Amino acid sequence: MSSERPLFNLSIDSMALDVSDQEMLLFQQLFKRYIGLYLPMSKKALLCSRLSQRLGELSLSTLAEYHALISAPQQQQERQRAIDLITTNETYFFREPKHFACLRDEILPSLSAQQKVQIWSAASSTGEEAYSIAMLLDDCRGQQPWRVFASDISQRVLSFARRGLYPMVRGEHIPDDYLSRYCLCGVEEYDGHFLVEQRLRERVTFAQRNLLELPLAMDQQFDVVFLRNVIIYFDFPTKVAVMQSVLRKVKPGGWLLVGHSESLHGMPLELQMVAPSIYRRPQ
């Protein structure tokens, strides 16, 4: 699932589409089952907005028909399409700057210069968080070993992230020296865009991951995990399950950063709070 605030854009088609309580319940159950997303009844307009165009493309007239389609076991591709549509989100570079200040001033200096630093952007959306981390790592550690692993539930945003190509306006929060060092200004058909330089892109790996079903093959542990603005979309039992699953991927003594608006209060987690939204796993 993507890590930032959803966009609520209603179209004329979505206003014409209607969803009953029963249909909404079906989609609630489906998204909860596959990605843990809690979609309350108050998000009926969001559901219509996100899915109306796809229904038109498939010549379907009701959400019940579309639900029947994506519920079929053999319809994994279309089901993923629906997940992509419902979880498309907004993010930006260097969001919540206190986290990056903590990474620069406290976390990285505590790690050995010879140690390979591995950081996981666990809900990377379109890649801005992962590339922000990479810029800071390159600045602070240079040629010392480091790697960024970035994941999301949506294949569509991952494809966008791998390109590393963004409209120039998306770079307004990148520090000027980082913008000049790590970003290439687009020309001709890419005018008005910038490209994260290849050297940096090669040190960031993007892959699809469902935080509810982290694969056993993902056996590495990370020095730092960014899991920001994600668990707000889950009910409490799902939040606990996701946090426990992700925490197993944090090294003893490693760090976990969540969104400033998120709380881990009441969760049975072996974590020590260093500062609001910044936690450390005991050694």
Side-chain angles (χ1 to χ4, degrees):
M1 175 170 210
S2 305
S3 61
E4 311 295 346
R5 176 175 57 84
L7 299 174
F8 294 82
N9 294 320
L10 299 183
S11 65
I12 294 176
D13 288 341
S14 69
M15 295 297 289
L17 188 65
D18 191 23
V19 53
S20 67
D21 287 351
Q22 184 177 4
E23 289 170 331
M24 189 67 181
L25 181 60
L26 292 174
F27 281 96
Q28 281 181 331
Q29 294 169 341
L30 184 142
F31 290 121
K32 175 70 181 298
R33 174 186 176 188
Y34 284 102
I35 60 173
L37 173 66
Y38 174 61
L39 197 66
M41 286 289 178
S42 60
K43 294 295 188 287
K44 283 185 176 183
L46 171 65
L47 186 76
C48 293
S49 174
R50 296 290 178 86
L51 299 183
S52 59
Q53 182 175 342
R54 186 56 182 159
L55 264 67
E57 293 169 351
L58 296 173
S59 299
L60 300 177
S61 57
T62 69
L63 283 165
E65 291 176 301
Y66 187 61
H67 178 270
L69 174 66
I70 63 177
S71 298
Q74 69 274 20
Q75 289 292 333
Q76 298 96 327
Q77 186 172 351
E78 186 61 36
R79 190 161 53 246
Q80 181 62 51
R81 180 76 174 265
I83 290 170
D84 286 356
L85 290 171
I86 208 69
T87 59
T88 300
N89 299 299
E90 179 187 28
T91 183
Y92 54 85
F93 285 89
F94 291 94
R95 186 177 187 184
E96 299 184 355
K98 288 184 179 179
H99 288 159
F100 293 96
C102 178
L103 180 60
R104 181 189 65 239
D105 300 332
E106 187 169 356
I107 298 175
L108 292 180
S110 71
L111 302 176
S112 166
Q114 288 72 43
Q115 175 182 344
K116 181 178 181 180
V117 175
Q118 298 194 88
I119 297 182
W120 179 20
S121 172
S124 62
S125 188
T126 44
E128 287 91 335
E129 179 179 89
Y131 290 128
S132 298
I133 296 167
M135 291 177 192
L136 193 149
L137 282 171
D138 187 81
D139 182 34
C140 295
R141 293 185 67 91
Q143 296 306 309
Q144 295 167 349
W146 60 266
R147 193 81 189 174
V148 177
F149 177 69
S151 67
D152 201 275
I153 190 66
S154 170
Q155 289 282 19
R156 183 166 65 173
V157 298
L158 289 171
S159 297
F160 185 96
R162 290 186 186 100
R163 295 184 68 193
L165 180 69
Y166 299 93
M168 194 64 72
V169 68
R170 300 275 279 273
E172 61 183 359
H173 295 286
I174 301 176
D176 289 342
D177 57 332
Y178 283 10
L179 193 62
S180 60
R181 287 168 60 185
Y182 300 121
C183 304
L184 306 174
C185 186
V187 297
E188 297 180 353
E189 70 262 41
Y190 299 113
D191 185 43
H193 292 72
F194 68 91
L195 179 69
V196 177
E197 68 167 6
Q198 183 176 353
R199 179 177 64 86
L200 214 63
R201 298 199 313 272
E202 289 176 347
R203 300 185 77 169
V204 181
T205 301
F206 290 95
Q208 186 185 40
R209 292 290 185 270
N210 185 337
L211 296 177
L212 285 175
E213 300 174 353
L214 294 177
L216 295 177
M218 187 180 169
D219 56 0
Q220 74 266 39
Q221 290 185 308
F222 298 89
D223 300 286
V224 187
V225 174
F226 282 68
L227 183 69
R228 306 191 302 170
N229 306 303
V230 180
I231 62 171
I232 54 174
Y233 299 110
F234 302 143
D235 60 19
F236 188 77
T238 307
K239 289 179 182 181
V240 173
V242 167
M243 292 304 305
Q244 290 177 338
S245 180
V246 170
L247 192 55
R248 286 193 288 270
K249 307 301 181 183
V250 180
K251 290 181 180 178
W255 301 71
L256 175 70
L257 282 67
V258 301
H260 288 310
S261 63
E262 295 172 311
S263 172
L264 305 186
H265 180 71
M267 297 187 190
L269 304 171
E270 292 186 5
L271 284 172
Q272 299 169 340
M273 189 174 76
V274 178
S277 75
I278 300 174
Y279 298 84
R280 196 166 189 182
R281 183 178 177 186
Q283 291 277 7

